[in-house]
Amino acid sequence: MAEYRYCSTLKTMRLTEERVAKVVKDRIFSAAFHPCSSSLLLAAGDKGGRVGLWKLGGDWGDDGVLLFEPHTRPVCCMAFSPAHPTQLLSLSYDGSLRCMDVEKSVFDDVYNAQDALKTFDFMSHDSLTMVVGSLYGDVAIVDRRTPGNSHESLHSLDPKSLRCVSVHPLQRHYFAVAESRVVSIYDSRRLNKNKSQAVSQLHGHSLSISSAYFSPWTGNRVVTSCLDDNIRVYDTSAMTSTSSLLTTIRYNMQTGRWLSKLSAVWDPKQEDCFVVGSMLKPRRVQVYHQSGKLQRSFMDTENLSTVLSVTAFHPTRNALLGGNASGRMHVFSD
């Protein structure tokens, strides 16, 4: 019954000409919805280090868009603070994690690293403690209450690569890391400086893993996206040394070098469904149940003609965003 209701809700969401806008100047690497439910406000980060804000139907800036240049290299991860929604955190290959006060349009430094930064997630309910991953396999624990913009501790995990970190929604000392060909779950209370032991590992990937995310309510599942053309769902409810594989979905992940990588991302309003961009024509965005069943293909031949690599659902409203390689954002909404 719940699945039927969810599919019915997805069917009410449409794309219109007014829900497409050029928000940044270059390829979109990351995007996020503001949690506010009264109006739709989106942020996008692009290849050149720009951050764009777009308020649908808004009268500010150019076509409702405000553009900033807080970074000098790709903005590969961004999120509004769940505890302080006026704050937008953005992280870049330039080695900086910055916090924008959306009301004042001011950026502050949160963390500066020697290496290119790739990913972050909030570790505490007040959103002040974060886990930050660098491209070369280091994980930093950052506490914003500590003066300065350094880390509390730094830990070397996988010397080859690190693509994504995701914190468990309930047991926040656990975080998953997409390493080169395995996803490892670590306990932040038991990290060593050089080699930390994983609590659990998710095996079965034969090529580079682009993302791994805990399910939003319980953390009992992790969805991974891999360049071996598979999306996988794992059972992480027990945190045993090896988490069992539940579902494998064959999926074309070959975006090439000019498009951002595809990533399966959970709907925060739904424990068991996720969204992912698609290489299929006509262009579309797909929503799947964790069992592998396709719930909805969002298509619009008039207003959608490009690959939407970066996708995300709104935390409370029936709205879905997609970002493309030319800086355009598309919003499907009821």
Side-chain angles (χ1 to χ4, degrees):
M1 187 66 190
E3 192 180 329
Y4 173 77
R5 262 204 316 271
Y6 183 61
C7 286
S8 300
T9 302
L10 295 178
K11 280 180 184 160
T12 66
M13 294 162 59
R14 303 249 186 284
L15 184 65
T16 60
E17 194 180 343
E18 298 76 43
R19 294 177 190 159
V20 181
K22 191 165 173 73
V23 179
V24 282
K25 292 187 176 176
D26 214 324
R27 182 194 342 161
I28 293 175
F29 271 65
S30 56
F33 269 116
H34 189 277
C36 162
S37 57
S38 59
S39 60
L40 289 175
L41 173 63
L42 301 78
D46 80 359
K47 184 182 176 184
R50 301 173 197 88
V51 168
L53 290 179
W54 175 32
K55 188 172 185 179
L56 272 79
D59 53 1
W60 37 309
D62 184 22
D63 296 328
V65 172
L66 297 176
L67 191 62
F68 306 91
E69 295 193 37
H71 300 282
T72 57
R73 295 194 62 205
V75 182
C76 39
C77 189
M78 60 166 44
F80 286 95
S81 164
H84 311 279
T86 57
Q87 297 180 355
L88 171 67
L89 288 105
S90 59
L91 170 147
S92 167
Y93 284 168
D94 67 12
S96 69
L97 171 61
R98 308 198 74 190
C99 176
M100 176 192 187
D101 183 315
V102 176
E103 291 176 338
K104 298 175 184 165
S105 299
V106 176
F107 286 85
D108 289 326
D109 277 335
V110 173
Y111 178 55
N112 281 318
Q114 307 300 314
D115 284 339
L117 295 179
K118 175 67 182 164
T119 173
F120 75 91
D121 200 2
F122 301 104
M123 294 195 85
S124 57
H125 289 290
D126 60 12
S127 306
L128 294 175
T129 311
M130 287 175 279
V131 56
V132 181
S134 82
L135 202 53
Y136 306 109
D138 287 340
V139 160
I141 307 298
V142 174
D143 189 332
R144 292 180 59 193
R145 290 162 297 198
T146 305
N149 46 21
S150 186
H151 46 254
E152 302 297 301
S153 58
L154 187 66
H155 312 275
S156 295
L157 301 180
D158 184 328
K160 290 182 283 297
S161 69
L162 187 156
R163 295 279 177 264
C164 179
V165 294
S166 172
V167 172
H168 194 290
L170 301 178
Q171 304 175 71
R172 287 177 172 257
H173 47 277
Y174 290 133
F175 62 94
V177 179
E179 297 176 353
S180 46
R181 293 193 183 184
V182 65
V183 175
S184 298
I185 297 172
Y186 294 97
D187 185 335
S188 62
R189 302 167 301 183
R190 299 197 188 116
L191 291 174
N192 298 322
K193 262 207 159 46
N194 294 324
K195 191 63 187 157
S196 298
Q197 198 66 38
V199 177
S200 180
Q201 288 195 310
L202 284 51
H203 293 285
H205 308 87
S206 59
L207 288 172
S208 174
I209 304 162
S210 42
S211 64
Y213 294 108
F214 278 111
S215 57
W217 295 358
T218 65
N220 286 344
R221 301 285 182 265
V222 166
V223 63
T224 70
S225 312
C226 183
L227 291 183
D228 63 12
D229 287 338
N230 284 292
I231 294 171
R232 296 174 174 88
V233 179
Y234 290 83
D235 181 355
T236 49
S237 55
M239 284 296 176
T240 48
S241 60
T242 307
S243 296
S244 57
L245 176 62
L246 296 176
T247 311
T248 303
I249 304 167
R250 287 292 295 165
Y251 207 83
N252 180 4
M253 291 287 179
Q254 305 310 313
T255 50
R257 55 181 300 197
W258 307 113
L259 300 177
S260 295
K261 299 263 187 298
L262 303 179
S263 288
V265 186
W266 298 101
D267 182 346
K269 302 180 292 297
Q270 193 79 9
E271 171 65 8
D272 51 9
C273 292
F274 54 83
V275 61
V276 60
S278 173
M279 299 299 291
L280 291 173
K281 290 181 178 177
R283 298 307 185 193
R284 66 197 68 185
V285 174
Q286 314 231 83
V287 178
Y288 282 90
H289 185 263
Q290 63 175 26
S291 61
K293 185 179 170 190
L294 181 65
Q295 305 289 295
R296 180 79 176 147
S297 283
F298 286 99
M299 288 186 270
D300 187 310
T301 48
E302 282 184 28
N303 300 300
L304 176 57
S305 58
T306 56
V307 175
L308 301 183
S309 293
V310 178
T311 55
F313 271 105
H314 194 282
T316 56
R317 283 183 55 168
N318 298 322
L320 168 66
L321 66 79
N324 75 6
S326 66
R328 287 188 186 279
M329 298 283 281
H330 301 66
V331 177
F332 291 85
S333 178
D334 57 8

